[in-house]
Amino acid sequence: MKLVVRVKLLPTPEQAAALEATLRSCNAAANWLSAEAFARRVTSRAGLQALAYVDLRTRGLSAQPALHVLRKVADAYAALKAHARVGNLGKPTSKRYARATSKPITFRAGAAQPFDDRCLSWQIGAATVSIWTTSGRLKNITFTGHSEQLELLARYRRGESDLLCRDGQWYLIATCEVPDVEENSRPDGFVGVDLGITNIATTSSGRRHSGRHLNRRREQDRKLRGKLQRKGTKSAKRRAKRHAGREARRARDINHKISKCIVAEAQRTDRGIALEDLGGIRERARLRKPQRVTLHSWAFHQLGAFISYKAKRAGVPVVYVDPVYTSRECSQCHHIDKRNRPSQAVFACRSCGFVEHADLNASHNIASRGWWVWVCGARSVAPALAPLA
């Protein structure tokens, strides 16, 4: 299983200046190559190497960094084509599709740049790295990180590492190949997890991770973001950018904590985890505009991905079930009726009279469906995981 470990670099001012110049040179070369690729309609790795490898070398890049720039540009266009093919950019006649496909892809001056072991070497014991820059090889750049991350780095690091500058801080993002843990093939039931807005996650064992405080913060964030967007000055745009970063980090931190609790509960009770397959929920859900804003702004997919990869590390099986009518079905008599939900928080079965918190009732239904999916041998495949920083 692949995991991503991020460590923080602690360069001296001179080292930081050399790293910044390197990133700027690499991304300037990537922007030039992207424009050439767009103009000549050549986006494959082999085509770009034949087209521009020599020119990239004359721009001050060594052999390996030049190849990494070529691959970065080719991969960016491949990702753009994939998004267009599956409809993530809207219809071909839409303005969004036109904006994305009618001009070359551009890279920020501080965008991440990959380095392989020829350009970057790790001295784990000394907590330093040596890295290629446009001004020569820099040695003894100190790094730091959490003890668990450093252990993963020392034992399982493989492949390339990405150099990244964010808000004036320098980071290295390394890929680790962690051996798979043997999955529990005979779980004692499943923990059903119902995802929502008021309660971010409710488990069938009765634990609710409330989102009330978080939703108030998110409402304040939306108001501030709208105010800054209406103002439109350069300082307002800078502040909005910083604030957006804090919003994303807060949501990621909460998702990590919730997923850790759910996986620990399943592992402790020798059970699996059942999740709803929420693919396409944004297109299916019919909500009022304020509700759409709330639904679309929360990272449900990220929470599901965190649960999936943490469960895989712990050997906990994960299944995905059909979410249809989980909130309207009685977990006792399985009667389905829209009127079973008289309010957001209350479930009252019109058939047997069973009353329970609506999210808890839904989590019981998800747990039951997860067990039947497992027993019938129709285990669904977990969605592909995005790299985690």
Side-chain angles (χ1 to χ4, degrees):
M1 177 177 63
K2 287 187 177 181
L3 290 179
V4 174
V5 172
R6 185 177 69 174
V7 298
K8 185 177 181 180
L9 295 181
L10 304 173
T12 64
E14 294 78 14
Q15 291 172 336
L19 293 176
E20 182 178 4
T22 300
L23 274 192
R24 288 186 176 276
S25 296
C26 290
N27 286 305
N31 284 328
W32 169 81
L33 179 58
S34 177
E36 290 292 315
F38 182 82
R40 304 192 185 196
R41 303 297 180 185
V42 178
T43 57
S44 67
R45 290 188 180 186
L48 290 178
Q49 184 167 347
L51 174 67
Y53 175 76
V54 175
D55 292 328
L56 289 176
R57 293 297 305 275
T58 61
R59 288 175 171 267
L61 301 182
S62 297
Q64 288 302 114
L67 291 175
H68 285 304
V69 168
L70 287 165
R71 293 167 186 163
K72 182 164 75 170
V73 173
D75 291 346
Y77 277 103
L80 178 64
K81 290 179 181 178
H83 284 301
R85 185 170 57 252
V86 299
N88 291 341
L89 303 179
K91 296 180 180 180
T93 56
S94 66
K95 292 182 179 179
R96 182 185 177 193
Y97 188 97
R99 284 197 302 268
T101 58
S102 62
K103 59 183 179 181
I105 294 175
T106 57
F107 300 86
R108 294 179 292 104
Q113 175 65 21
F115 290 85
D116 59 20
D117 288 343
R118 296 184 182 182
C119 308
L120 173 69
S121 59
W122 295 79
Q123 295 81 44
I124 304 296
T128 61
V129 295
S130 170
I131 188 170
W132 172 89
T133 67
T134 52
S135 57
R137 189 89 176 188
L138 288 184
K139 298 182 178 181
N140 300 321
I141 303 177
T142 306
F143 68 85
T144 185
H146 192 274
S147 57
E148 182 180 351
Q149 292 180 317
L150 297 181
E151 183 180 354
L152 286 175
L153 193 66
R155 297 178 63 183
Y156 303 120
R157 187 192 66 82
R158 297 289 185 277
E160 299 176 351
S161 304
D162 289 350
L163 177 66
L164 173 67
C165 182
R166 179 178 294 165
D167 298 328
Q169 303 294 325
W170 290 92
Y171 301 94
L172 274 174
I173 301 174
T175 302
C176 296
E177 290 278 359
V178 180
D180 290 339
V181 177
E182 184 178 357
E183 188 180 77
N184 180 8
S185 60
R186 301 183 68 179
D188 187 18
F190 280 79
V191 177
V193 182
D194 179 63
L195 304 180
I197 301 298
T198 303
N199 294 305
I200 299 172
T202 303
T203 66
S204 55
S205 56
R207 181 159 188 174
R208 280 181 285 170
H209 300 272
S210 176
R212 294 186 183 278
H213 174 69
L214 176 64
N215 288 333
R216 287 196 293 268
R217 291 290 303 272
R218 293 168 67 196
E219 180 62 26
Q220 295 171 1
D221 291 339
R222 281 196 293 270
K223 290 180 179 179
L224 177 60
R225 185 165 59 246
K227 179 181 177 181
L228 294 174
Q229 288 173 346
R230 287 191 298 271
K231 192 172 183 180
T233 61
K234 290 184 177 180
S235 60
K237 291 178 181 178
R238 286 196 299 269
R239 186 180 176 189
K241 185 178 179 181
R242 289 196 302 270
H243 195 74
R246 285 196 292 270
E247 285 185 68
R249 288 192 294 273
R250 186 190 309 130
R252 185 169 62 246
D253 179 63
I254 291 172
N255 280 340
H256 269 301
K257 291 177 180 177
I258 293 174
S259 60
K260 185 176 180 180
C261 289
I262 293 172
V263 172
E265 177 184 350
Q267 186 179 25
R268 184 179 64 253
T269 57
D270 199 29
R271 290 183 289 175
I273 298 174
L275 297 171
E276 294 175 291
D277 183 1
L278 297 177
I281 187 174
R282 295 181 179 179
E283 292 74 23
R284 296 196 308 267
R286 292 184 176 88
L287 302 171
R288 296 177 181 177
K289 187 173 182 180
Q291 295 172 312
R292 290 201 301 269
V293 172
T294 303
L295 175 67
H296 293 185
S297 61
W298 186 248
F300 289 111
H301 174 74
Q302 184 187 72
L303 177 56
F306 285 177
I307 292 173
S308 183
Y309 96 82
K310 291 179 192 295
K312 191 173 183 180
R313 287 193 66 188
V316 174
V318 177
V319 297
Y320 288 79
V321 304
D322 189 348
V324 175
Y325 299 130
T326 53
S327 62
R328 299 181 184 179
E329 179 184 349
C330 177
S331 59
Q332 299 298 310
C333 70
H334 304 289
H335 173 69
I336 299 175
D337 194 327
K338 183 178 181 180
R339 295 173 297 173
N340 285 349
R341 288 286 298 273
S343 68
Q344 184 276 329
V346 176
F347 182 91
C349 182
R350 304 281 292 189
S351 177
C352 69
F354 176 71
V355 177
E356 194 171 37
H357 191 283
D359 293 341
L360 184 57
N361 177 75
S363 67
H364 286 311
N365 288 327
I366 295 168
S368 177
R369 295 185 186 188
W371 175 249
W372 281 110
V373 167
W374 179 271
V375 169
C376 296
R379 293 182 55 197
S380 57
V381 180
L385 299 180
L388 304 177

